[in-house]
Amino acid sequence: MSKDLINKILITLGFIFLYRLLAYVPVPGVNIDVVKEFFDSNANNALGLVNMFSGNAVERLSIISLGIMPYITASIIMELLAATFPALGKMKKERDGMQKYMQIIRYTTIVITLIQSIGVSVGLNSLTGQSGQGAISIDMNTFIAVSAISMLTGTMLLMWIGEQITQKGIGNGISLIIFAGIVSAIPSAIGGTIDLVNNSQMSFLTVIGILVVILLTVGAIIYVELGERRVPVSYSRKVMMQNQKKRVMNYIPIKVNLSGVIPAIFASAILMFPATVLQGSQNKYLIMIADYLNPSSYTFNLFMFLFVVFFAFFYASITFNAKDISENLKKQGGFIPGVRPGESTALFLNDVASRLTFWGAIYMGLISTIPWLIVKAMGVPFYFGGVAVLIVVQVAIDTMRKIEAQQYTNKYQTLSAVGL
């Protein structure tokens, strides 16, 4: 590996380490033992899922307890608005407009973070431990102000860390933060499973069954993620003569899963937000809704399947622009054999992408729910979902691809320098 690539990897690891350190910085005025006791008793519901995605930062009520989810929620809102209003969509495509677009997302993130942090602070006021000790050790009004500022600072720091990783490191910064949070919970999950086996609450055969489900899920994800349809492309003789010393790609690769890990993250963010807000409610109707949105319920996983499929189609339609591809292909003197250049090429590519996206969306929906159904049928006493595995494997594959791409770029630069 080149020095530049090693530096990018070290920068990425350094920022991830900083993220993990922030997970241990608590909000001032909180009794951490009471909060941890509460989350231990709610490990198998929506709060447990939120805690997992935050890398156990919520049970410590750290300054990054809200994680990167407010930013993701703001991104979802802006993506939907950009798809609805043409002016906003046009702004997103322009260089100067993209800066304004990202600025709006940041301001929206601040508003969402403040609302959620105030809601969490108010909810903690009624939380008491088994010994009757309260979760807040200072004046309530002071605590709301302090916690709102602390959590807002934590979320802004995570946004900054994500942007720095994307710009100066390797991979997508936001995805890597979620990846690091999920992976950090693996050691405690392994320890909890060993304790269940030692206490005879889970048999050794069940553990083997869980491992088989995980391996099959990982294998299915890798198989589909590496799958692509290669649409052949031909170039005119003149273009081939002009590019004798250059590598001209003779196909257009269209992935089965065009949307990547985004649908799973978006679906989780949407389902976790109301489930978390309703968790502390005393209204019987709101409690009933919270039960329906429990990660261990069939309704939650049904909604997960539907949301993942919806966002897979929605995000694929944004990321894959057949019209731009056809226009660029026409400018380069290329064409798809048997298809007219221009509009016919765009329609052909759209048709291919739609059929692939259909199967890719179904695959993502099944991966997000089937592992949970199998594990539930085995009688496992804790929550296990395919979304976490899906995110971890997809982010790992995407990061490895970017490392390989960087290596190839460095090799080409070296060969070009030697040739000159």
Side-chain angles (χ1 to χ4, degrees), residues 369-397:
T369 53
I370 290 295
W372 172 81
L373 290 171
I374 295 172
V375 170
K376 186 176 179 66
M378 293 165 60
V380 175
F382 56 80
Y383 173 77
F384 173 82
V387 173
V389 182
L390 185 66
I391 292 172
V392 168
V393 177
Q394 282 192 342
V395 173
I397 291 173

Side-chain angles (χ1 to χ4, degrees), residues 15-168:
F15 277 117
I16 290 175
F17 179 69
L18 174 61
Y19 157 65
R20 292 309 305 152
L21 282 180
L22 291 173
Y24 290 87
V25 180
V27 172
V30 173
N31 190 327
I32 301 175
D33 293 332
V34 174
V35 176
K36 190 175 186 310
E37 182 183 300
F38 172 72
F39 274 93
D40 286 342
S41 62
N42 288 275
N44 296 327
N45 56 32
L47 293 175
L49 190 62
V50 172
N51 189 41
M52 179 191 71
F53 274 96
S54 70
N56 295 332
V58 177
E59 70 178 17
R60 304 184 190 101
L61 207 73
S62 77
I63 60 173
I64 60 166
S65 295
L66 298 178
I68 204 69
M69 287 304 172
Y71 176 79
I72 293 172
T73 305
S75 300
I76 294 171
I77 295 170
M78 289 301 295
E79 291 285 2
L80 291 171
L81 290 175
T84 306
F85 299 101
L88 195 59
K90 186 178 179 181
M91 178 198 293
K92 184 184 173 184
K93 292 180 180 179
E94 298 170 354
R95 176 180 286 184
D96 294 336
M98 188 61 184
Q99 293 179 350
K100 294 178 182 177
Y101 181 85
M102 293 304 298
Q103 199 68 25
I104 295 171
I105 289 179
R106 293 188 185 99
Y107 287 136
T108 309
T109 302
I110 291 173
V111 174
I112 294 172
T113 304
L114 288 173
I115 293 170
Q116 289 187 350
S117 60
I118 292 171
V120 169
S121 304
V122 173
L124 285 172
N125 188 40
S126 60
L127 184 64
T128 55
Q130 293 181 351
S131 60
Q133 196 173 13
I136 301 172
S137 57
I138 60 176
D139 177 67
M140 183 59 192
N141 292 329
T142 305
F143 176 74
I144 290 175
V146 169
S147 64
I149 294 170
S150 300
M151 290 184 187
L152 178 60
T153 303
T155 299
M156 292 298 105
L157 278 172
L158 285 188
M159 278 178 53
W160 178 78
I161 289 171
E163 289 175 356
Q164 294 304 307
I165 291 174
T166 302
Q167 294 171 9
K168 299 178 182 178

Side-chain angles (χ1 to χ4, degrees), residues 199-219:
N199 296 330
S200 300
Q201 294 180 4
M202 184 188 298
S203 67
F204 188 68
L205 287 174
T206 303
V207 176
I208 294 175
I210 294 171
L211 290 174
V212 170
V213 172
I214 293 173
L215 290 174
L216 289 175
T217 305
V218 171

Side-chain angles (χ1 to χ4, degrees), residues 227-378:
E228 63 184 22
R229 165 80 183 274
R230 296 184 175 184
V231 178
V233 176
S234 295
Y235 290 90
S236 64
R237 184 178 179 83
K238 181 180 177 181
V239 173
M240 294 302 293
M241 292 296 290
Q242 290 174 348
N243 292 279
Q244 282 183 350
K245 295 183 180 180
K246 296 181 181 179
R247 180 175 178 269
V248 180
M249 183 175 287
N250 59 352
Y251 63 86
I252 301 171
I254 304 177
K255 292 179 61 181
V256 176
N257 179 23
L258 283 167
S259 52
V261 73
I262 299 299
I265 296 174
F266 277 12
S268 300
I270 286 178
L271 287 172
M272 284 193 296
F273 180 73
T276 306
V277 172
L278 297 174
Q279 196 66 39
S281 175
Q282 302 298 320
N283 186 289
K284 64 177 182 178
Y285 296 108
L286 295 180
I287 292 173
M288 183 175 66
I289 294 172
D291 290 337
Y292 280 124
L293 294 177
N294 189 313
S296 296
S297 68
Y298 289 100
T299 48
F300 176 90
N301 285 273
L302 175 62
F303 281 125
M304 177 64 74
F305 178 87
L306 295 174
F307 278 127
V308 166
V309 170
F310 167 75
F311 280 117
F313 274 102
F314 174 75
Y315 205 73
S317 66
I318 295 173
T319 55
F320 186 81
N321 193 323
K323 187 177 180 181
D324 287 349
I325 295 172
S326 65
E327 288 177 357
N328 291 332
L329 200 61
K330 190 175 180 180
K331 289 176 183 177
Q332 294 170 4
F335 61 92
I336 299 171
V339 182
R340 284 175 172 271
E343 189 177 344
S344 297
T345 299
L347 290 172
F348 175 81
L349 292 174
N350 262 330
D351 182 57
V352 172
S354 296
R355 282 187 274 118
L356 288 175
T357 301
F358 172 79
W359 294 110
I362 296 298
Y363 136 77
M364 288 195 70
L366 292 175
I367 287 294
S368 301
T369 53
I370 290 295
W372 172 81
L373 290 171
I374 295 172
V375 170
K376 186 176 179 66
M378 293 165 60

